[in-house]
Each structure stands twice: as C-alpha cells, then as structure tokens.
Amino acid sequence: MRTSDPDYYRWTQWIFMQLFDSWYNVTTDRAESIQTLIAAFQTSGTADTKAVCDEDVSPFTAEEWKRFTEEEQQNVLLKYRLAYLKESTVNWCPALGTVLANDEVKDGFSERGGHPVVQKKMMQWSMRITAYADRLLQGLDTIDWPEPLKEMQRNWIGKSVGASVKFGVRSLESGDFIEVFTTRVDTIFGASFLVLAPEHELVSQITTPDQQPAVQAYIEQTQKKSELDRMADTKTVSGAFTGAYAVHPFTGNPVPIWIADYVLAGYGTGAVMGVPSGDQRDWLFAKHFNLPIVPISDAQKDLDQQADPTKEGRYINSDFINGKTYQEAVDALIAKLEEKGQGKAKVNY
C-alpha cells in the first residue's frame, strides 16, 4: 500500500470531508450534516441548538444569522464542525520546511537530515474528538478487549472532572484574565503562583521589561524540546518569572505569574495554578524558586519534605471553606465562582 497513491488518499480526503461537513448534536448524541445546523440557525438562531462547541459563541437570533456575511457565517460554523482550524504547537523544521511528528524528532533535531527543530504555533486542522469522548468511554464497557488495553484507552481519553477558574491580571485591561482548569478547586486557597506554558498567548503581553531577557531566553530554550521530552522530564525544575501578577479570585491577593516547560499550551488552557502543599511538581517548583507553601488541610503532614495531596481532614487557611470536608468545599467553591462570574464546573478530556 502506498499512501501517495491517489487511489489511497482519495479516501482520507473523503473521510476529512465527512468530518468537515458534520457537527455534533448533543440532543441526538450523534454527528449530523452541517446543513441541519444551518437550517436550525435560519429558523431559531442559537436558541434551541445544543451542540458540542469548544469555543464561546455569542448567542444570535435567526434574523442576526441571516444578516451575517458569508464569511461571518462560515467563521461561526467552523466553531461547530468536527474538523476545524486551530492554532497548535507543532515540531517545525525550517530546513525541511515541514511539521514533524514527535517520533521524527531526536534530541531537538530531525531524524532525517539532522536539522534543528523548534516548537512553533501554527494553524492546523484539528478533530473535535471530545464530542465523542463519553461515548468512547461507555463503549469500552461493551467490547471484549483485555482490561489493560481498555485502561490504556481510558487514560488516553483522559476524562478529568473539575472546574475552570478565571484569574484577573493586574497589568491587563479590566475583563482580561487567565483561565485555569483544575481537578482540585478545593486547594485554591493554597495557590501561591500561576504557571503559563512558554507558548501561552498572554506571555508577551504581561512580561515586564526587566524580565523580558530572561523570559525570551527561556522560551528559546523550550522551543528546542518536543512536547514528549517536556512531559517525560519530571526531575528538572526550570522556569522564568514574568514580572506580572494575577489576582486571586477570592482573596484579591497578588499571585506571581511564571512560565515553565512542564505546562503545555495544547493541554487544558495552557495555564495551571501552583499549589505546592498539594501537588509534588508544584512543591518542587516552589522549593526551587523559594515560593510560599501554604498548608490548606489539617490532615496534611511533612510539607517541608514533600507535597501532601490528601482529601481527608478539614480545610484550614481557606477562608469560607475552613472546617469543611472535601465535597462540601468543592460545592461551596463552584457555587461562589459561578456567583462571581469567575468560574464554573467543567469536564476536560
């Protein structure tokens, strides 16, 4: 079989067009022709449409849809199609003039030719596979596969139940924020720093002039590593302070913003809240850069030696959730975040 043969790749192109011309209807729990979505927009706008859409779409009426230009309509539809354009971090080889897969890069150089490879953000076609994530998980229970293989698939799908939290940024205009996804919103009062992926779009905007040289040098250093290398290296602690501060959504206290290569732009929101008392990687980062380690549970022990991710005990140093159990704290925090318009419960894949 030759993938360069038109008799072969006509079918990969055909598959792409099926995805491009489809959207995922939450009501019917299946993909449908994009024409049915267009018909719904023409009849009632977004009012009765329940669709998988990874981006925030401002609601519009049928009349507003009809007034959109052709280009505006297509831009809206691209937010619903199963195949869509998205800026992604890729392995870019300038000498070869192409994007390379992770297994085509060895120690920062292309396997073919030995040319330097850098991490670069580029527009790529992506698949809205998250639309099917729950069906994929449920389907694993119905097939006769070895359990280890099914567990690998569950880990690959990577369902995480948590919350998205908005941290305002002092140096940006009012309304701008850094969004963080966390599976441990109960630890939010222990957050003593934020970490952005070096490729995060806000890094260039928030970095102060005096920190610019260090941040730029760190970004260039990170560009030489593949995402695989960055995920695999759990021992090396590195990072750079942007000089900027976020605002804690509950206390209003300043939270320093760092960049570090252990955070990936393509995973979650490309930003994490550092809770060194409850996460070992955050603990190592805080120890290395002398950042505060705040205990947030009366059950946590030996925080001078390592992080303690326990969900046991009652919360301390945690404002209005002091004395609560884990589930009580989570419910109270999400309710308060939604009330303040600074977060909500969320499922990530």
Side-chain angles (χ1 to χ4, degrees):
M1 182 180 290
R2 288 181 298 135
T3 57
S4 59
D5 190 324
D7 285 340
Y8 175 88
Y9 68 70
R10 73 181 291 261
W11 291 110
T12 60
Q13 292 182 337
W14 178 86
I15 291 168
F16 173 84
M17 291 309 301
Q18 308 312 303
L19 293 163
F20 182 75
D21 286 331
S22 299
W23 66 291
Y24 201 88
N25 189 334
V26 174
T27 303
T28 60
D29 200 23
R30 63 187 304 109
E32 294 182 2
S33 167
I34 198 72
Q35 295 303 320
T36 63
L37 182 63
I38 294 171
F41 286 163
Q42 289 173 336
T43 304
S44 55
T46 53
D48 302 320
T49 305
K50 291 186 177 179
V52 173
C53 174
D54 291 342
E55 302 177 53
D56 292 331
V57 176
S58 299
F60 53 81
T61 64
E63 289 69 32
E64 288 172 324
W65 168 260
K66 291 169 185 173
R67 286 200 296 269
F68 287 162
T69 64
E70 172 68 16
E71 184 178 356
E72 288 171 332
Q73 288 182 348
Q74 290 303 325
N75 284 336
V76 170
L77 292 174
L78 202 56
K79 296 178 179 179
Y80 292 92
R81 295 180 186 273
L82 292 184
Y84 64 104
L85 281 170
K86 180 183 179 183
E87 196 173 52
S88 306
T89 302
V90 296
N91 300 313
W92 173 250
C93 181
L96 295 178
T98 188
V99 171
L100 299 177
N102 283 333
D103 55 10
E104 294 175 309
V105 181
K106 303 295 179 187
D107 301 319
F109 294 89
S110 62
E111 191 175 39
R112 179 171 295 184
H115 304 292
V117 175
V118 297
Q119 297 290 291
K120 184 178 179 180
K121 275 196 165 185
M122 296 178 70
M123 277 300 210
Q124 302 287 299
W125 284 105
S126 297
M127 304 299 172
R128 213 177 297 281
I129 193 67
T130 49
Y132 293 91
D134 265 327
R135 278 180 55 185
L136 289 170
L137 278 172
Q138 294 163 16
L140 286 171
D141 296 331
T142 68
I143 56 177
D144 185 19
W145 284 7
E147 192 55 38
L149 193 58
K150 292 202 280 188
E151 190 59 26
M152 284 172 62
Q153 289 291 303
R154 292 187 187 102
N155 292 336
W156 177 78
I157 293 166
K159 183 175 183 177
S160 299
V161 179
S164 66
V165 183
K166 296 176 181 178
F167 286 78
V169 182
R170 286 186 162 189
S171 57
L172 297 180
E173 294 179 9
S174 178
D176 287 330
F177 56 84
I178 292 171
E179 184 178 1
V180 169
F181 174 77
T182 176
T183 57
R184 292 294 307 273
V185 70
D186 59 298
T187 66
I188 195 167
F189 287 101
S192 56
F193 58 94
L194 292 186
V195 184
L196 304 184
E199 311 89 351
H200 195 286
E201 58 190 10
L202 288 180
V203 172
S204 60
Q205 295 180 46
I206 65 175
T207 301
T208 57
D210 58 321
Q211 293 298 122
Q212 191 66 47
V215 167
Q216 189 56 41
Y218 188 80
I219 290 173
E220 290 173 4
Q221 173 188 320
T222 303
Q223 287 175 337
K224 298 172 184 176
K225 298 181 182 179
S226 70
E227 285 195 353
L228 217 56
D229 292 335
R230 287 163 62 179
M231 287 188 290
D233 186 4
T234 58
K235 294 180 180 178
T236 306
V237 179
S238 66
F241 178 44
T242 65
Y245 290 84
V247 180
H248 194 285
F250 292 118
T251 67
N253 292 336
V255 182
I257 304 171
W258 290 67
I259 62 170
D261 62 10
Y262 74 88
V263 181
L264 304 177
Y267 181 78
T269 62
V272 301
M273 64 178 197
V275 183
S277 62
D279 181 274
Q280 187 61 22
R281 198 151 198 179
D282 293 343
W283 185 90
L284 290 168
F285 193 88
K287 277 289 186 182
H288 187 82
F289 291 108
N290 197 29
L291 297 166
I293 299 174
V294 182
I296 44 92
S297 168
D298 60 13
Q300 287 180 324
K301 299 174 182 177
D302 303 324
L303 291 181
D304 58 330
Q305 300 297 318
Q306 61 184 0
D308 185 350
T310 182
K311 295 180 182 178
E312 307 302 321
R314 305 271 175 167
Y315 291 89
I316 59 173
N317 300 322
S318 298
D319 202 271
F320 63 91
I321 62 167
N322 279 339
K324 294 185 183 295
T325 62
Y326 168 74
Q327 196 55 56
E328 290 171 343
V330 169
D331 294 342
L333 285 163
I334 289 176
K336 184 70 80 172
L337 285 167
E338 291 178 349
E339 179 188 315
K340 290 163 66 71
Q342 288 191 266
K344 61 184 179 180
K346 188 176 182 180
V347 177
N348 247 18
Y349 297 96

